Amino acid sequence: MTVPRQATRTRGREAVQALVAELSKLVSLPATWLTLGGTLVVNPVLAIAYTAAGLHGSTGTTSVPDIGLAPIGYTQAGFVILGVLAACSEYTGGQIRTTLTAMPRRALQLTAKHLALAIVVLPAAAIAAASGVVIAAAVLGGTAAPVTAGRAAGALSGAAAYLTLTTLISAAVGALVRRTLAAAVVLLGYLFIAGPLLRDHVSAAKYLPDSAGFAMWFPPADEAGTVTPVHGAVLLTAWTAVLIAVAVSGYRRLDV
Amino acid sequence: MKALAAEASKLASLPAVWAATAAGVLVPGVVAAITASSALGAIDRGAAVTAPIDTGYQELAFGVVGAIILGVVAVSSEYVTESAESGGGRQITTSLTAVPSRLRFLLAKTAAIAIGAAMLAIIAAGTTMGVVRVVLGEHAPALGAGDVPRLAGVACYWTYTALLAAGITVLTRHGVVPLAVLVANTSVVSVTYLLTRIAPPANYLPDMAGVRMFIRDLAGSTAEIGPLTGGLVMTAWVTALLVIAAIAFTRRDA
């Protein structure tokens, strides 16, 4: 007589299944596509506005990557909303209980959610960054200030990475706060009101996630002690990792 | 009147409204403390003789984020779907059962929002001006009869902004989009400000026209608009949006 072998799945297979499940949830959420679509429409419109302002000479620069990436400062709001929605949509109507029945390992589930989000957002972030730069290059044409290819590529990849990491931070905050509106207010209030004001008045603010992240793609000021793009990337990655870790540990300890 | 009392009671019992109140008072107060102390530093170094004319008012232009949250959640809370276990209902169906006339409901709602935002603006203006006075001491710009219309302008701007936020939320029936757009536009260099650099008519957008009610020295202004004209332009925007919201609200399913 043979003893029936208990069906088990390896850790690796479980992780892959969790990632596939999270990806499927994310791409089947209409809000994902509405948010991404809206953001990717608004970004070129703002890029045209900025380029027009650049032709009038009121932006203080005619560098193609600087003007083309400037709209990111506003359209990051769309990416923030996407991150918040990805995390908080679990809590509207109790989907979270189904999720945790299917994937009881909470740390694995939330990590898979962030990974799935990164997979969806990175191409969108690259498109947002590239569309602005292409528009700026096309409209400015010969009047643009010369830039090296290395600087342009660095700014582009920096902007795409910044948007992706900001989305992940938003999802982590969303997982902690669990309410869409509250999380959106906290993040947008920080990014658009508190962050810029702190940057102007407090010197230590350059190590905060928004200012450090800006250093990844914004033209750095020529003075000692500023955060370089590489340092900015390291700082923002560290902030993201810490916030995701906090979100995971909170998620493991709290009731749903 | 009963409908207004009901709306006021709903508003006062929303935790998000108290968060909005905290944001509306703390943001301009803290920012004013920071900017006033750097202005004081400039005066002590001899780099400036007096504090800028807009000290305090500039900060109140940021604090309007509290009014935005108030206007958005007052409407979006009606449309939040309860979880399936508690029936999947929405408060709006209960509200319209209690007050079946849609116009009366909307009127009571906007009146409650306007009263709340105006009260919030008065508290925030008092706090902010107090903070400026405490930090700057004798260097603070003197408060005279000229500040009465300016402070009234602040209250007007906050009330109108809350009504704009509420009107947009009536149309979207969800809070995230109006919140994201309006908060993103409260930043130091707002989208509408950028538009005024390209197209002068953008000076007549609601927020750019509305701040003229109390800001005297708008950096890089591309048009001259008086405080009264600015107020009237914003009144026209708010009225138009509320009429559109009322038409949509009375004609569609809840």
Side-chain angles (χ1 to χ4, degrees):
Chain A
M1 193 180 125
T2 54
V3 180
R5 247 186 52 204
Q6 205 176 351
T8 51
R9 52 182 180 182
T10 62
R11 280 297 176 98
R13 181 152 175 71
E14 187 183 358
V16 171
Q17 282 177 337
L19 181 61
V20 171
E22 287 299 335
L23 265 177
S24 145
K25 275 197 267 181
L26 200 57
V27 297
S28 61
L29 207 60
T32 305
W33 302 110
L34 289 174
T35 315
L36 278 181
T39 310
L40 292 180
V41 168
V42 169
N43 196 64
V45 172
L46 281 180
I48 292 169
Y50 260 105
T51 318
L55 284 177
H56 286 279
S58 50
T59 48
T61 172
T62 51
S63 151
V64 165
D66 292 353
I67 290 181
L69 290 178
I72 300 285
Y74 298 109
T75 42
Q76 59 175 332
F79 287 87
V80 168
I81 296 298
L82 178 63
V84 168
L85 283 174
C88 294
S89 64
E90 293 274 0
Y91 294 94
T92 40
Q95 182 190 299
I96 187 70
R97 287 188 281 279
T98 316
T99 301
L100 287 178
T101 310
M103 292 179 267
R105 263 189 255 281
R106 294 194 180 188
L108 178 72
Q109 189 265 325
L110 197 61
T111 314
K113 183 179 278 301
H114 281 89
L115 195 57
L117 191 58
I119 292 172
V120 171
V121 165
L122 191 57
I127 293 171
S131 66
V133 173
V134 167
I135 286 172
V139 179
L140 288 174
T143 60
V147 245
T148 62
R151 161 90 182 90
L156 263 178
S157 52
Y162 168 77
L163 286 175
T164 310
L165 291 171
T166 303
T167 314
L168 294 183
I169 287 181
S170 310
V173 172
L176 280 172
V177 178
R178 298 183 179 187
R179 286 164 186 268
T180 313
L181 281 190
V185 165
V186 167
L187 286 160
L188 295 173
Y190 169 68
L191 280 176
F192 286 95
I193 298 172
L197 289 167
L198 285 175
R199 203 177 307 151
D200 288 348
H201 294 284
V202 185
S203 64
K206 64 187 176 206
Y207 303 115
L208 288 176
D210 64 323
S211 303
F214 270 31
M216 292 164 70
W217 53 276
F218 215 60
D222 290 325
E223 49 189 90
T226 50
V227 178
T228 64
V230 176
H231 289 164
V234 172
L235 274 169
L236 187 60
T237 313
W239 275 107
T240 313
V242 167
L243 280 168
I244 293 178
V246 171
V248 167
S249 70
Y251 189 50
R252 290 186 63 186
R253 275 160 209 287
L254 297 174
D255 281 347
V256 290
Chain B
M1 211 56 217
K2 266 187 184 166
L4 177 60
E7 288 303 330
S9 148
K10 275 197 253 178
L11 217 53
S13 58
L14 272 177
V17 166
W18 295 105
T21 309
V25 175
L26 285 179
V27 167
V30 171
V31 175
I34 297 174
T35 50
S37 59
S38 60
L40 190 64
I43 292 170
D44 285 345
R45 280 199 314 276
V49 182
T50 52
I53 182 172
D54 284 330
T55 307
Y57 291 100
Q58 198 78 58
E59 289 73 17
L60 285 167
F62 293 121
V64 81
V65 67
I68 293 173
I69 302 173
L70 175 77
V72 168
V73 295
V75 176
S76 73
S77 64
E78 295 276 348
Y79 289 101
V80 171
T81 313
E82 302 281 335
S83 63
E85 297 95 89
S86 43
R90 292 177 307 163
Q91 189 183 299
I92 185 78
T93 52
T94 315
S95 301
L96 287 179
T97 311
V99 186
S101 160
R102 302 238 171 148
L103 269 183
R104 210 151 67 82
F105 170 76
L106 202 60
L107 208 62
K109 179 71 97 187
T110 46
I113 294 170
I115 294 169
M119 275 172 20
L120 179 57
I122 292 167
I123 299 169
T127 316
T128 309
M129 291 305 166
V131 165
V132 168
R133 235 126 237 101
V134 167
V135 175
L136 281 178
E138 53 174 333
H139 298 293
L143 272 184
D147 285 287
V148 175
R150 287 181 84 183
L151 288 173
V154 171
C156 227
Y157 179 67
W158 282 43
T159 310
Y160 281 161
T161 308
L163 290 179
L164 273 182
I168 300 173
T169 316
V170 168
L171 295 175
T172 60
R173 288 189 270 193
H174 196 281
V176 147
V177 171
L179 205 59
V181 171
L182 291 171
V183 173
N185 199 42
T186 318
S187 59
V188 180
V189 182
S190 65
V191 179
T192 40
Y193 175 77
L194 174 75
L195 289 178
T196 64
R197 315 293 300 151
I198 312 158
N203 281 299
Y204 291 93
L205 286 170
D207 62 327
M208 290 313 287
V211 292
R212 313 276 179 160
M213 288 190 277
F214 56 96
I215 299 281
R216 291 289 177 264
D217 186 18
L218 207 57
S221 166
T222 48
E224 275 312 316
I225 302 176
L228 192 61
T229 323
L232 289 176
V233 169
M234 196 170 183
T235 312
W237 277 103
V238 172
T239 316
L241 184 73
L242 286 181
V243 167
I244 295 170
I247 293 171
F249 187 67
T250 44
R251 295 190 64 85
R252 74 175 176 214
D253 282 347

